[in-house]
Amino acid sequence: HTPLVEVIPVMDLDSGSSGLESLESASNLTNSFSYIDVNIPIMHVTGWYDFTAMASVDAYQKVLASSKSSQNILIGPWYHNQIYDENQYLGNYKLKPNSNTSLEPILEYSVEWFDRTIKKPHKSLSPEAQYYVLFEDKWRASQVWPPQGAQNCKFYFKKDSLFTTQYQEFIQEKGQTNFTYNPENPVPTEGGANFNFFIDKLGIKNQNQIEAREDVITFTSSFFKEDKIIAGSISTQLFIETNAKSTDFTAKLTKVDRDGNSWNLVDGITRIPIIEKSNSPLKVTIEMGDIAFLLKKGERLRVQISGGNFPKYDRNPNTGEDSWQATSFIEAQQIIHHSKVYPSFISIPFLK
């Protein structure tokens, strides 16, 4: 239905000139908040597939950096309110009993936290960060999140492939991949950290059909020769060109199992509200959020790049018109550069 504002009038979102601003602001707390004035301990609880995960981790990290009070964070595999549903499934992935998809273990953790905070204020829960590692199906702990010792590794894009070569050794002098983003036929949401009333769109889902679309560009690593743990924040940098007045770029990280099935892990989007004409590609960054998972020997990493993820994100009409008011849409011709001069890559944190 268009315009979108007629469908959700009660939200009264002031989207300004870029309809995504109000949605992005929900993922991060305002930078004007005085974190240094927070002088109380806080127990932060979220899940990898909770639509509030980015805001929760953001709050924890900013308070931790600015305040002297103790901060604890518990990150499970859950979607929003999954502990009340007592649902053992995270999309197509069945969680193990130790994933604590019920209220009781969370209450036990909370009681322990209150005991330490109120009865023994000089003692905090140690370690202060506890997180669930997907596919390893274990809880791990560290003094902070992201865990100390995680090392970011850049995987550079080459046509269809991901390479971990050093920048100066990046072998491709020139390279680009083109696709068409059509907001009348957007890439559908299939899994991820979404609103929990989109229960069929939540969690870990098979991506093979999504990746068969012509408007979804994929870059895939070689087979890993040993097990690896990824834990921390993931982001993608792109050098792009477009013929649209305004447009979106999306990125999704998946793992490809030994049978060739691709499973979504984290995703993100960036909206470019006004695109100035230039002779050079534009550099954009897509923040994709935090996660911890095991990548097993013989598996691969894959990145999907496209222009939409609907209905998780509203469609960009590509006309420069506000997405909440738009009634007409046009196709956009998109270019992703991946070369020595314009290196597009994804940054992934590996535990040592």
Side-chain angles (χ1 to χ4, degrees), residues 27-252:
S27 296
N28 297 283
L29 296 181
T30 173
N31 290 328
S32 64
F33 185 82
S34 182
Y35 295 96
I36 198 169
D37 292 330
V38 177
N39 57 7
I40 59 170
I42 301 175
M43 183 183 78
H44 308 258
V45 180
T46 189
W48 299 131
Y49 290 87
D50 192 321
F51 67 88
T52 69
M54 290 183 71
S56 298
V57 173
D58 182 64
Y60 159 78
Q61 291 175 335
K62 287 180 177 176
V63 174
L64 185 67
S66 304
S67 173
K68 295 181 180 179
S69 58
S70 66
Q71 303 297 307
N72 290 85
I73 188 165
L74 178 70
I75 314 176
W78 322 298
Y79 59 78
H80 193 69
N81 285 347
Q82 188 169 7
I83 59 174
Y84 298 102
D85 296 343
E86 298 191 6
N87 179 12
Q88 289 292 314
Y89 281 88
L90 187 64
N92 296 132
Y93 185 67
K94 186 174 182 179
L95 295 168
K96 300 297 187 291
N98 71 339
S99 62
N100 298 342
T101 54
S102 63
L103 190 57
E104 184 176 353
I106 307 303
L107 290 177
E108 291 174 357
Y109 179 86
S110 302
V111 169
E112 183 183 2
W113 181 84
F114 277 110
D115 283 343
R116 295 291 187 97
T117 303
I118 298 174
K119 295 181 180 180
K120 301 174 183 178
H122 61 287
K123 293 184 178 181
S124 61
L125 283 179
S126 183
E128 297 186 348
Q130 298 185 44
Y131 57 96
Y132 194 84
V133 181
L134 292 164
F135 311 115
E136 185 184 42
D137 301 313
K138 292 181 180 179
W139 288 91
R140 290 193 176 217
S142 60
Q143 288 304 117
V144 294
W145 177 265
Q148 295 172 331
Q151 184 174 2
N152 282 321
C153 179
K154 292 179 180 178
F155 285 75
Y156 291 93
F157 297 0
K158 186 182 176 181
K159 187 172 180 61
D160 302 327
S161 304
L162 291 173
F163 285 89
T164 58
T165 53
Q166 296 296 321
Y167 175 80
Q168 62 268 25
E169 298 174 359
F170 195 51
I171 60 175
Q172 198 168 22
E173 293 291 338
K174 296 181 180 180
Q176 67 181 50
T177 302
N178 301 31
F179 70 96
T180 300
Y181 162 56
N182 180 7
E184 297 278 17
N185 181 27
V187 177
T189 297
E190 186 65 20
N194 307 322
F195 287 108
N196 51 305
F197 46 77
F198 291 146
I199 193 67
D200 61 326
K201 304 294 183 183
L202 274 169
I204 301 171
K205 295 276 193 174
N206 188 295
Q207 300 293 302
N208 291 21
Q209 288 189 347
I210 295 293
E211 293 168 357
R213 292 175 58 108
E214 292 184 354
D215 56 354
V216 177
I217 308 303
T218 60
F219 302 91
T220 308
S221 75
S222 58
F223 296 94
F224 275 69
K225 296 180 180 179
E226 59 182 356
D227 291 358
K228 292 286 187 179
I229 298 290
I230 290 87
S233 178
I234 295 172
S235 63
T236 295
Q237 175 186 287
L238 300 176
F239 282 92
I240 63 94
E241 290 185 72
T242 179
N243 66 346
K245 293 181 179 179
S246 169
T247 198
D248 295 347
F249 280 86
T250 62
K252 184 187 296 181

Side-chain angles (χ1 to χ4, degrees), residues 281-337:
L282 177 66
K283 181 171 72 173
V284 299
T285 300
I286 305 175
E287 299 295 341
M288 303 166 69
D290 293 66
I291 198 166
F293 68 94
L294 169 66
L295 189 72
K296 298 177 182 178
K297 178 182 177 181
E299 296 183 329
R300 293 171 288 169
L301 291 174
R302 177 172 291 163
V303 180
Q304 299 175 17
I305 302 295
S306 192
N309 184 353
F310 182 79
K312 179 173 183 176
Y313 302 110
D314 59 312
R315 298 173 294 168
N316 193 320
N318 294 328
T319 60
E321 185 179 5
D322 180 86
S323 61
W324 291 79
Q325 305 289 344
T327 57
S328 60
F329 303 83
I330 61 173
E331 292 185 353
Q333 304 303 316
Q334 317 288 55
I335 301 174
I336 306 165
H337 289 266

